[in-house]
Amino acid sequence: MGRYGLKPSRQSAFPEKPLGSTRRDSARSWIVLVLIATALVLYISSEQVQRTILSLIFPSETQFTHTRKTILQMTTAHISLTLGATLLSAVVGIVVGIAVTRKAGKDFQQLVLRLNSFIQTFPPSAVIILAFPVLGFGWKPALLALFLYSLFPILGNTVVGFQSVSPAVIDSAKGMGMTWFQQLWIAEFPQALPMIFTGIRHSYILNLGTAAIAAVIGGEGLGTIIISGLTLRNSALVLSGTIVISLLAFLGEQLFHMVSSGR
Amino acid sequence: MTTGPVRPTLEESPSFLKAEHISVRYGETVALNDVTLHIPTNRVTVLIGPSGCGKSTTLRCINALVKTSSGHIDYGDASIQAMSETDLRRNMGYAIQSVGLMPHMTVEENVDLVPRLLGWKRSERTERVSRLLKLVRLDPQVYRNKYPHELSGGEAQRVGVARALGADPPVLLMDEPFGAVDPLTREQLQDEFIRIQRQLKKTVVFVTHDIDEAVRLADYLVIMKDGMIVQADTPEQILAAPANEFVERFLGPDRSLKRLSLFTADHCCLEQVVSGTGKPSEAQLPKGSNRCYWQVDADGKPIMGFTWIHNRIIERPITSSTHTVQPYSSMKECMSAILSLGMPATAVVDDDGRLYGEVRFETIQTISLS
Ligand SMILES: Nc1ncnc2c1ncn2[C@@H]1O[C@H](COP(=O)(O)OP(=O)(O)OP(=O)(O)O)[C@@H](O)[C@H]1O
Ligand SMILES: [Mg+2]
């Protein structure tokens, strides 16, 4: 049964790949992935590399690293926060998304979709600043704020993904005697998957950025170096944090791209 | 000479699938209004009627996709309400009107779906998919690995039919299964359907808009209108005696001809023939303008027909295959051959083209009046 459910679809949201060039594209994707990963590892693991690059751009600057924390530490915290929040939102978003697209939960569907578009209008900084008085200070509140904020893209996309399954398909699935679970797993989920995937990707990128702002309420990510760069008027520090976040974004995009096109 | 119906009568097919006084309401709309229908076992029941008259709804009640507002449906000894929906549906292949193939699965995976759900062995299944695809006239080599969005409407429909046949269910529910197929392929599929049905003897409920298809396939024809059954009987009976003007209009102005298509030459009217290898003398040629003499060649193939018209001997050369018929040709085709040859009868030939008998115009007349 697993084979049915998890096979990536060639339909809908996943871009159609031109025939014949699959192999070359696949090789190219891997090369890009390895390049980004290498750049990231080189940069975060060696202060020498950071110093060399940053001094090229800001020759007059003298301080290139944060006084208390290494880039490696901050990156680890940043990744944990981002992935943790994304994973949580994915699990909760998909489960709730499935629930409200079932017969019993249909009543809540409109509510969920409306809440989704409402929350999308909040800028990330507002989310963090609003979270502070309510949730307090530290990485746990940061995680909670990120989770709540990134839940809705996944939830919304899950609902839309399941809504896009044609009634004829559901009908024929029922008509051939599929159980409730088989209908969900074999007939519907694979068709909703591209949309869900897009939601997860969106939410990952969103979290990557919001996690930086979360430094103000004690999320110990790359926002720490960016904020101290801003207070010290040291652009090199801001850039250093930004470089890593950008590389993480590229890496994520590339991974999502490769998984969704089945390479 | 037998002029009775060719097909077996329905009395031999007691029903194990019975809808008793079922009604279905969608809000204000009454889709079915007190319908009672006993589906003859191992026979083809065809539902026909104008759009929106409740044909699909009837099918969907049978496999419990639609709940009846009143009345009940019995499958065997039990009411279907009391059965597990999953078990019920696995006994019934359903080819739905809108096809509904899984877009993320290949043709093969789609056809394989039900056997797979039922846990059949892989080796058995692969072979079965090929057989089923051939049955609906799709080349397995070409279509196996295609996705539904790469198929034409008619091809997708045929895959839908193959999928419904997948696990060899005893009951088949088919909602306009050949609706989007071109007339030629449709006819081939009907032939194939009749051939398989003779072997497999499934209990089939078939919905169509095409009265010719209905007459051709039905053992039991159900004509519906506005959520009610107007007339349900054998096609012979309905064509001979439409219950009201609606049915008569529905059958069309050529219903007498349609009725003729239900009888085949061998079942009704193989007459003794008068033939010889030479031209007939006046004494050899049977008297009356309703009889013929057939001249045959050395192989026994008819080459010329003779008859009396206004006290003169008329001769007509037999030059084309439309001038003769075969034992399994329909009476409609016999009629056409008689007209195209311009004789009071047509020669019936066997598979090798040898003279086998004749069908006379007067016999056809008798049948159409009966
Ligand atoms: N899900 C539904 N909700 C509301 N009304 C419905 C629904 N399904 C069918 N109907 C109505 O019930 C009636 C019967 O529909 P049904 O689909 O059985 O017709 P049909 O005979 O199959 O027509 P067609 O030949 O066009 O397929 C129609 O008036 C239709 O509008
Ligand atoms: Mg219909």
Side-chain angles (χ1 to χ4, degrees):
Chain A
M1 209 151 65
R3 196 173 72 95
Y4 279 131
L6 285 178
K7 204 151 72 177
S9 159
R10 270 199 212 161
Q11 273 253 304
S12 59
F14 289 158
E16 198 77 38
K17 47 187 164 185
L19 284 170
S21 56
T22 322
R23 245 229 181 89
R24 238 179 46 215
D25 282 359
S26 164
R28 198 157 47 204
S29 298
W30 277 105
I31 293 171
V32 171
L33 184 75
V34 170
L35 283 180
I36 300 172
T38 315
L40 181 68
V41 170
L42 273 180
Y43 191 86
I44 61 174
S45 59
S46 151
E47 288 196 359
Q48 191 56 47
V49 174
Q50 294 158 25
R51 208 164 276 134
T52 316
I53 291 174
L54 295 172
S55 63
L56 272 177
I57 305 167
F58 300 102
S60 58
E61 215 52 80
T62 49
Q63 187 200 345
F64 296 108
T65 54
H66 194 264
T67 42
R68 281 175 291 111
K69 282 184 182 160
T70 64
I71 282 276
L72 186 61
Q73 283 170 329
M74 287 184 279
T75 307
T76 316
H78 202 96
I79 292 177
S80 315
L81 198 55
T82 305
L83 286 187
T86 311
L87 196 70
L88 267 177
S89 331
V91 172
V92 176
I94 293 172
V95 169
V96 176
I98 288 174
V100 299
T101 47
R102 300 306 98 186
K103 212 179 192 172
K106 277 253 156 71
D107 296 347
F108 299 96
Q109 200 166 314
Q110 283 312 311
L111 181 73
V112 162
L113 288 177
R114 246 178 250 141
L115 208 57
N116 183 23
S117 29
F118 176 64
I119 300 229
Q120 302 270 293
T121 60
F122 282 39
S125 48
V127 173
I128 295 298
I129 291 158
L130 285 177
F132 177 59
V134 184
L135 304 171
F137 193 83
W139 71 266
K140 279 181 195 160
L143 181 70
L144 193 58
L146 256 63
F147 156 69
L148 286 175
Y149 189 48
S150 65
L151 171 65
F152 285 89
I154 299 181
L155 181 50
N157 275 31
T158 305
V159 172
V160 173
F162 276 99
Q163 277 175 342
S164 73
V165 179
S166 89
V169 167
I170 295 175
D171 236 31
S172 71
K174 280 192 190 136
M176 70 179 73
M178 284 193 186
T179 61
W180 181 90
F181 182 75
Q182 285 167 336
Q183 185 195 323
L184 175 68
W185 185 245
I186 300 175
E188 296 186 52
F189 191 67
Q191 289 181 70
L193 194 58
M195 271 308 275
I196 298 177
F197 213 73
T198 309
I200 296 177
R201 176 167 156 181
H202 182 172
S203 139
Y204 168 79
I205 300 296
L206 206 60
N207 280 334
L208 216 48
T210 321
I213 306 172
V216 290
I217 59 161
E220 299 158 338
L222 289 153
T224 318
I225 190 171
I226 295 178
I227 287 163
S228 71
L230 288 172
T231 40
L232 297 172
R233 294 176 187 275
N234 179 342
S235 301
L237 293 187
V238 177
L239 182 66
S240 189
T242 314
I243 286 175
V244 181
I245 293 179
S246 310
L247 285 175
L248 287 174
F250 283 134
L251 190 68
E253 282 286 347
Q254 186 62 18
L255 271 172
F256 278 117
H257 172 71
M258 287 171 71
V259 173
S260 66
S261 53
R263 285 173 204 136
Chain B
M1 185 176 90
T2 51
T3 51
V6 182
R7 304 171 197 211
T9 52
L10 294 171
E11 281 79 70
E12 309 155 17
S13 312
S15 173
F16 69 96
L17 191 53
K18 298 178 189 170
E20 306 280 1
H21 301 286
I22 56 168
S23 297
V24 171
R25 251 171 234 107
Y26 293 111
E28 291 291 289
T29 326
V30 180
L32 285 184
N33 187 1
D34 193 28
V35 166
T36 295
L37 179 63
H38 293 191
I39 310 286
T41 304
N42 304 343
R43 297 274 188 264
V44 181
T45 301
V46 174
L47 307 182
I48 192 167
S51 199
C53 68
K55 305 180 294 292
S56 302
T57 307
T58 309
L59 276 200
R60 295 162 64 80
C61 284
I62 294 175
N63 67 3
L65 277 174
V66 167
K67 304 281 175 284
T68 50
S69 323
S70 64
H72 58 100
I73 297 179
D74 296 337
Y75 183 67
D77 303 329
S79 160
I80 62 167
Q81 274 103 326
M83 297 175 68
S84 125
E85 284 175 2
T86 307
D87 289 344
L88 178 76
R89 290 171 189 162
R90 285 182 181 173
N91 275 311
M92 298 180 172
Y94 179 35
I96 87 170
Q97 188 168 10
S98 39
V99 189
L101 297 177
M102 304 287 147
H104 57 289
M105 293 183 193
T106 60
V107 165
E108 169 159 31
E109 287 165 337
N110 266 289
V111 176
D112 192 32
L113 206 45
V114 187
R116 195 182 168 118
L117 289 176
L118 295 176
W120 291 20
K121 280 207 256 353
R122 175 176 293 277
S123 53
E124 237 172 292
R125 296 195 330 245
T126 317
E127 206 237 335
R128 177 141 186 92
V129 170
S130 300
R131 271 234 319 279
L132 289 170
L133 286 179
K134 281 189 201 135
L135 208 66
V136 293
R137 312 229 158 218
L138 294 173
D139 181 356
Q141 298 293 330
V142 178
Y143 289 95
R144 240 198 161 93
N145 296 317
K146 286 200 180 209
Y147 280 87
H149 69 102
E150 299 168 306
L151 302 176
S152 75
E155 287 164 351
Q157 238 177 4
R158 283 181 272 163
V159 174
V161 171
R163 180 176 63 177
L165 294 169
D168 204 20
V171 178
L172 283 174
L173 308 175
M174 309 179 92
D175 202 341
E176 298 189 37
F178 309 142
V181 178
D182 67 278
L184 199 65
T185 314
R186 178 192 278 234
E187 203 162 304
Q188 291 174 340
L189 290 172
Q190 290 168 357
D191 286 343
E192 200 68 12
F193 179 84
I194 293 169
R195 196 180 64 76
I196 321 168
Q197 176 58 14
R198 289 216 173 123
Q199 283 173 19
L200 301 183
K201 298 211 189 311
K202 305 258 179 217
T203 302
V204 183
V205 188
F206 192 107
V207 170
T208 181
H209 267 134
D210 178 350
I211 182 72
D212 292 303
E213 182 169 79
V215 169
R216 190 145 184 239
L217 301 182
D219 295 310
Y220 188 53
L221 185 57
V222 178
I223 299 185
M224 298 182 65
K225 185 187 178 220
D226 301 334
M228 287 185 278
I229 294 180
V230 184
Q231 192 175 10
D233 210 325
T234 59
E236 289 83 355
Q237 205 48 49
I238 289 183
L239 285 165
N244 57 26
E245 204 191 319
F246 169 77
V247 178
E248 203 167 331
R249 270 214 320 276
F250 203 79
L251 297 173
D254 60 338
R255 76 178 159 89
S256 314
L257 281 178
K258 284 197 178 89
R259 185 151 177 272
L260 286 183
S261 65
L262 294 171
F263 302 93
T264 55
D266 58 346
H267 272 89
C268 316
C269 35
L270 279 182
E271 319 272 349
Q272 217 178 348
V273 284
V274 185
S275 67
T277 48
K279 294 201 174 204
S281 65
E282 286 198 7
Q284 276 175 307
L285 187 58
K287 287 280 170 247
S289 58
N290 56 355
R291 303 289 307 275
C292 292
Y293 172 96
W294 305 101
Q295 184 187 356
V296 296
D297 65 8
D299 294 332
K301 294 180 183 162
I303 48 175
M304 193 81 89
F306 299 86
T307 190
W308 291 103
I309 290 180
H310 301 313
N311 293 324
R312 281 178 44 211
I313 297 181
I314 297 288
E315 50 178 78
R316 293 264 192 269
I318 295 171
T319 49
S320 120
S321 62
T322 59
H323 290 158
T324 57
V325 295
Q326 287 171 306
Y328 48 82
S329 300
S330 74
M331 293 296 278
K332 198 172 161 183
E333 288 166 277
C334 296
M335 193 66 204
S336 168
I338 288 172
L339 293 175
S340 77
L341 188 61
M343 299 283 282
T346 180
V348 182
V349 297
D350 63 17
D351 285 344
D352 301 323
R354 281 192 293 265
L355 185 65
Y356 180 71
E358 70 179 22
V359 173
R360 288 182 209 145
F361 177 66
E362 57 174 20
T363 332
I364 298 178
Q365 241 178 341
T366 329
I367 290 172
S368 57
L369 291 176
S370 70

